[in-house]
């Protein structure tokens, strides 16, 4: 039995190695024979053509050059922009690629890397971003003791999406800690809100909870590919209870600027939070006031941003 298997194995190996040459010779001989034998001309010509063609094709397919060309064509088709745009499994494919890449360097934390990148950096749950986010602040002391400040703030940004039918929750929420001895002195007023230059009247809700004055609004945007949001507000509060002003990106920001005008006897220290690059800082002082401007060019991702530390001198 082993002897028979050995014979078949040898024959099989022989044909695999010399198939191209055998097919070429047999095919040519059958074509020649078809021209000399009228009785079997058609049959020999057909069989000879098939065998000769098969041999030629097998020879091409075995060549390394053909293999590389074939692989390149397949890769170009599968990973072309046109093909990727119509695929329904892009998210799954991205996860597999990211998993493979991260496992090469960080095998023990590759799952966490993939999950965090997907959650915070990719447009999986949000089909929009915030463009040109600008914050302008003017700060004044309200009393001689310099405990209370008045903050006049103007915020503008554009929400950009590709789908006019997309529903976008435009939200705002702010909490100010209350001085319990002077509750009435802590205020927050949203003076003006406009969306694409259309003014919205009294859109906010305010309530006190856990010694904080909470102010918020929410509206749904739909029907356009961009929405210019402008917000004007004033806040009054005790600096000792609220000496940190923090701003974190709700989702992807493209460019962020904060411009602050404040009195000479107020100290402000700026800290960036988790951004990939650096803010450019500009300071201008005069006898009457100080001015601080921080500008970030590029993308800021969810939960990245800055915070301000305020204290009187």
């Amino acid at each position: 039995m082993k002897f028979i298997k050995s014979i078949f194995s040898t024959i099989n190996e022989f044909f695999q190695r010399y198939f191209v040459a055998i097919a070429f010779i047999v095919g040519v001989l059958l074509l020649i024979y078809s021209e000399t034998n009228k009785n079997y001309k058609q049959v020999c010509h057909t069989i000879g053509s098939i065998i000769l063609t098969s041999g030629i094709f097998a020879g091409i397919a075995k060549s390394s050059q053909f293999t590389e060309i074939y692989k390149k064509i397949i890769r170009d088709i599968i990973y072309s922009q046109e093909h990727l745009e119509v695929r329904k499994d892009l998210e799954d494919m991205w996860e597999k690629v990211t998993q493979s890449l991260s496992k090469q360097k960080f095998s023990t934390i590759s799952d966490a890397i993939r999950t965090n990148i997907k959650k915070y950096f990719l447009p999986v749950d949000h089909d929009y971003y915030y463009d040109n986010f600008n914050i302008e602040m003017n700060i004044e002391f309200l009393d001689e003791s310099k405990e209370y400040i008045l903050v006049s703030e103007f915020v503008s940004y554009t929400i950009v999406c590709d789908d006019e039918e997309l529903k976008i929750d435009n939200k705002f929420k702010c909490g100010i800690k209350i001085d319990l001895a002077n509750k009435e002195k802590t205020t927050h007023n949203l003076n003006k809100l406009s969306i694409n230059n259309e003014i919205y009247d009294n859109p906010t809700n305010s309530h006190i909870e856990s010694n904080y004055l909470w102010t918020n609004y929410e509206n749904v945007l739909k029907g356009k590919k961009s929405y210019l949001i402008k917000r004007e507000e004033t806040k009054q509060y005790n600096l000792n209870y609220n000496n940190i002003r923090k701003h974190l990106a709700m989702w992807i920001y493209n460019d962020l600027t904060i411009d602050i005008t404040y009195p000479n006897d107020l100290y402000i220290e700026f800290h960036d939070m988790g951004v990939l690059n650096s803010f450019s800082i500009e300071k201008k002082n005069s006898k009457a006031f100080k001015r601080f401007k921080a500008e970030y060019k590029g993308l800021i991702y969810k939960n990245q941003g800055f915070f301000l530390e305020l204290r009187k001198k």
Side-chain angles (χ1 to χ4, degrees):
M1 191 68 178
K2 289 183 179 180
F3 176 72
I4 296 175
K5 286 184 177 180
S6 176
I7 293 175
F8 275 108
S9 177
T10 303
I11 295 173
N12 182 55
E13 183 179 347
F14 175 81
F15 272 99
Q16 284 188 354
R17 180 177 298 180
Y18 300 107
F19 175 77
V20 176
I22 293 173
F24 181 79
I25 294 172
V26 172
V28 170
L29 290 176
L30 284 173
L31 289 175
I32 295 173
Y33 184 73
S34 68
E35 296 299 323
T36 59
N37 192 321
K38 295 182 179 180
N39 295 328
Y40 299 99
K41 180 177 181 178
Q42 187 63 38
V43 175
C44 290
H45 187 274
T46 301
I47 296 175
S49 298
I50 293 172
I51 294 175
L52 181 61
T53 304
S54 299
I56 294 172
F57 181 78
I60 295 173
K62 283 187 175 182
S63 70
S64 59
Q65 184 179 7
F66 176 82
T67 303
E68 290 304 316
I69 293 173
Y70 180 76
K71 286 181 179 179
K72 185 179 183 304
I73 292 173
I74 294 299
R75 282 196 300 268
D76 289 345
I77 293 173
I78 293 176
Y79 297 109
S80 67
Q81 186 69 25
E82 294 82 2
H83 181 75
L84 290 174
E85 286 177 355
V86 297
R87 290 189 65 147
K88 303 299 183 182
D89 61 339
L90 281 179
E91 187 175 332
D92 181 61
M93 184 169 69
W94 176 87
E95 287 195 1
K96 290 178 180 178
V97 171
T98 305
Q99 185 82 348
S100 298
L101 286 173
S102 55
K103 270 190 173 181
Q104 294 176 11
K105 299 289 185 180
F106 312 102
S107 58
T108 57
I109 59 172
S110 59
D111 288 338
I113 291 175
R114 174 178 51 81
T115 301
N116 287 339
I117 291 175
K118 180 181 176 182
K119 182 178 180 180
Y120 294 107
F121 295 93
L122 295 183
V124 177
D125 298 323
H126 297 73
D127 296 327
Y128 59 90
Y129 66 93
Y130 296 84
D131 189 43
N132 197 25
F133 206 107
N134 292 302
I135 303 170
E136 296 178 18
M137 299 171 60
N138 182 71
I139 304 174
E140 304 173 38
F141 282 115
L142 287 177
D143 52 13
E144 292 183 1
S145 63
K146 300 177 182 178
E147 290 186 348
Y148 278 83
I149 60 173
L150 175 67
V151 181
S152 302
E153 192 166 327
F154 173 74
V155 178
S156 67
Y157 55 89
T158 302
I159 297 177
V160 181
C161 64
D162 289 330
D163 185 2
E164 294 180 353
E165 298 302 313
L166 180 67
K167 292 183 178 180
I168 300 173
D169 290 329
N170 182 38
K171 300 179 181 180
F172 163 77
K173 186 176 183 179
C174 176
I176 303 174
K177 192 171 184 179
I178 297 173
D179 175 8
L180 295 178
N182 299 281
K183 290 184 179 180
E184 71 284 351
K185 286 189 176 182
T186 302
T187 61
H188 184 183
N189 297 310
L190 181 56
N191 303 319
K192 184 178 179 181
L193 172 68
S194 68
I195 302 175
N196 289 339
N197 297 318
E198 180 182 349
I199 297 176
Y200 283 67
D201 294 326
N202 300 320
T204 59
N205 295 307
S206 297
H207 68 281
I208 296 176
E209 181 181 343
S210 302
N211 297 333
Y212 276 84
L213 171 64
W214 291 99
T215 304
N216 66 282
Y217 79 81
E218 180 177 354
N219 57 358
V220 178
L221 305 176
K222 184 182 177 182
K224 297 184 181 298
K225 291 187 177 182
S226 67
Y227 306 89
L228 175 60
I229 315 295
K230 295 180 180 179
R231 189 172 73 235
E232 296 180 20
E233 54 191 297
T234 53
K235 305 171 187 176
Q236 179 178 304
Y237 51 80
N238 191 313
L239 183 60
N240 296 323
Y241 289 88
N242 302 274
N243 66 321
I244 299 295
R245 161 63 196 272
K246 182 169 61 174
H247 184 93
L248 299 178
M250 297 166 284
W251 185 232
I252 297 174
Y253 285 14
N254 181 44
D255 296 347
L256 170 64
T257 302
I258 177 167
D259 195 341
I260 311 170
T261 303
Y262 58 101
N264 284 320
D265 42 4
L266 180 66
Y267 176 81
I268 294 181
E269 187 171 348
F270 177 87
H271 306 269
D272 62 61
M273 297 181 64
V275 293
L276 302 180
N277 297 311
S278 300
F279 282 84
S280 62
I281 306 297
E282 180 184 351
K283 295 181 180 180
K284 292 183 178 180
N285 300 332
S286 68
K287 292 182 179 181
F289 60 85
K290 292 182 179 179
R291 185 181 177 190
F292 174 91
K293 184 177 181 181
E295 189 173 14
Y296 188 95
K297 290 294 185 182
L299 299 181
I300 295 178
Y301 295 94
K302 185 177 180 181
N303 292 335
Q304 297 178 352
F306 67 88
F307 75 89
L308 303 171
E309 182 181 356
L310 293 78
R311 63 178 181 268
K312 59 185 178 181
K313 290 184 178 179

